[in-house]
Amino acid sequence: MAFKFALLFGLVAFASACSQAPGTTTTTVTTTVTTVSADEGDEGILSSHDRSVIRKTWDQAKKDGDVPPQVLFRFVTAHPEYQKMFSKFATVPQNELLGNGNFLAQAYTILAGLNVVVQSLSSQELLANQLNALGGAHQARGATPIMFEQFGEILTGVLAEELGSAFNAEAQSAWKSGLAALVAGISKTLKKSEDLADPQTKLSPHMIGDVQRSWENIRGGRNAMVSDIFIKLFKETPRIQKFFTKFATVAADALPGNADYEKQVALVADRVDTIISALDDKLQLLGNVNYMRYTHIARSIPRGPWEDFGRLLVQSLAAKGVSSDDLDSWKSVLSVLVNGIAP
């Protein structure tokens, strides 16, 4: 049977970072009306039976004003790192949250958002639009699919306590399917955790993995690669060779086989290897970068040679078949190194 329903509330992101003066409470709801026709028998993302069960249990649960605060409270206490994402109560002690106006306002904003999603279940198109909006609103804040999975676990736990026997196996199965659809839809626009850059190094686990994986395939020939880079570098800009006093006057083409030169090549190749191995250990990485910076200050090597070395390294990697995606990660890593060594 065809039916129509109106959305009275626009989806409001639950990790809203809207700024406001301390101590004030502002709940923002966008009032847009969207009328949609849908066939109650159309299975869409969920079966009509699951949709019916979810609506019924949700209509029961949302009547209790304690549900929204309890869901949000348990979410941030189970995962304290997420409290920092809520700027309006990021520093509020957890034992004071349930009495904090900003916290309660956010809890009921979540209630409004969930209500919209539940009421959108009958229209595959509308639900997809809502999930895209929800994912898009959270992408810039660094939200990940796992966060929504964790939130769903908390939500179902509170629903089970609130509804008791009414939240039976049938209801649990329906909500499990509904939350899986929710996370799948949101994930299309969210960054995965491996794509989130560290705020200090600006490197993501994905970038680090690209670099370490591609390096592992060629690290056995690192000395030859570094030597090739140095010779190209010295030929491009001869004055750079002057920084290496032990072979400053040796012709570039005669450098291979020179003991002092080969020792320097091995030193640089091993240093590159050490830094790449330490990419996934931020403290060790920063320690290596700082070491490189302070040991080269006395030699007064400007930024240019470091940038040129990085450029030639990328060219060498490309010549060895490293993919363009991996090269982009290499460029990000090299930028961090150059900025740290020669700011």
Side-chain angles (χ1 to χ4, degrees):
M1 178 182 297
F3 74 99
K4 293 186 177 181
F5 62 89
L7 292 183
L8 300 179
F9 299 99
L11 186 61
V12 182
F14 76 71
S16 173
C18 296
S19 59
Q20 59 186 53
T24 64
T25 301
T26 303
T27 302
T28 303
V29 179
T30 304
T31 56
T32 59
V33 178
T34 306
T35 302
V36 177
S37 294
D39 187 345
E40 191 69 62
D42 181 10
E43 295 303 291
I45 296 176
L46 295 171
S47 70
S48 58
H49 179 72
D50 281 347
R51 295 197 302 256
S52 177
V53 171
I54 289 173
R55 284 198 207 93
K56 181 179 179 181
T57 50
W58 178 247
D59 285 343
Q60 290 178 270
K62 70 181 183 181
K63 294 177 182 178
D64 187 338
D66 290 336
V67 169
Q70 279 300 318
V71 172
L72 184 55
F73 179 73
R74 295 187 190 188
F75 180 61
V76 297
T77 52
H79 309 283
E81 67 275 17
Y82 296 156
Q83 185 176 342
K84 298 175 183 178
M85 297 179 68
F86 300 88
S87 60
K88 292 174 285 188
F89 53 87
T91 60
V92 176
Q94 289 189 340
N95 62 355
E96 299 177 11
L97 285 174
L98 289 173
N100 181 272
N102 289 324
F103 174 85
L104 294 174
Q106 188 64 61
Y108 288 103
T109 295
I110 294 174
L111 174 67
L114 284 172
N115 195 55
V116 171
V117 171
V118 171
Q119 295 303 320
S120 301
L121 290 175
S122 294
S123 169
Q124 187 169 358
E125 180 180 0
L126 181 57
L127 180 58
N129 289 339
Q130 297 293 352
L131 296 183
N132 284 338
L134 185 59
H138 288 77
Q139 185 182 44
R141 301 184 181 97
T144 63
I146 188 64
M147 289 178 56
F148 285 90
E149 292 176 4
Q150 293 165 339
F151 183 82
E153 292 173 1
I154 299 293
L155 173 61
T156 52
V158 172
L159 290 176
E161 291 181 12
E162 172 64 22
L163 299 176
S165 60
F167 201 71
N168 53 25
E170 180 184 52
Q172 293 174 33
S173 177
W175 274 92
K176 182 178 180 180
S177 297
L179 289 168
L182 173 71
V183 173
I186 291 172
S187 298
K188 294 178 181 178
T189 50
L190 281 183
K191 292 182 178 180
K192 297 179 180 179
S193 58
E194 62 265 26
D195 293 325
L196 299 177
D198 179 90
Q200 187 173 5
T201 66
K202 309 302 181 186
L203 299 177
S204 69
H206 181 79
M207 294 175 187
I208 291 170
D210 286 346
V211 170
Q212 291 182 330
R213 183 187 62 255
S214 56
W215 177 252
E216 189 61 30
N217 293 330
I218 58 178
R219 65 187 297 266
R222 61 185 182 274
N223 284 26
M225 184 172 66
V226 169
S227 178
D228 182 60
I229 291 172
F230 268 139
I231 291 173
K232 289 179 179 178
L233 187 61
F234 297 158
K235 287 183 176 180
E236 280 186 4
T237 313
R239 68 177 181 276
I240 294 178
Q241 190 175 340
K242 305 303 179 183
F243 290 109
F244 302 91
T245 57
K246 292 183 179 180
F247 51 87
T249 60
V250 179
D253 288 330
L255 285 171
N258 179 281
D260 289 324
Y261 171 74
E262 295 294 352
K263 183 177 180 180
Q264 182 65 43
V265 165
L267 179 65
V268 171
D270 287 345
R271 178 59 59 185
V272 171
D273 186 56
T274 298
I275 290 175
I276 292 173
S277 298
L279 286 177
D280 49 4
D281 184 332
K282 185 170 73 172
L283 291 180
Q284 189 177 350
L285 170 63
L286 295 177
N288 276 296
V289 171
N290 286 332
Y291 173 79
M292 291 284 288
R293 179 180 180 180
Y294 292 120
T295 55
H296 287 78
I297 287 178
R299 300 172 67 183
S300 300
I301 300 177
R303 182 183 177 91
W306 297 102
E307 293 176 334
D308 290 336
F309 184 91
R311 171 176 54 81
L312 292 171
L313 175 56
V314 170
Q315 290 179 6
S316 294
L317 294 169
K320 293 181 180 297
V322 175
S323 70
S324 58
D325 287 343
D326 286 357
L327 288 177
D328 286 339
S329 295
W330 271 94
K331 291 173 184 177
S332 296
V333 167
L334 289 170
S335 178
V336 171
L337 299 182
V338 172
N339 288 335
I341 296 170

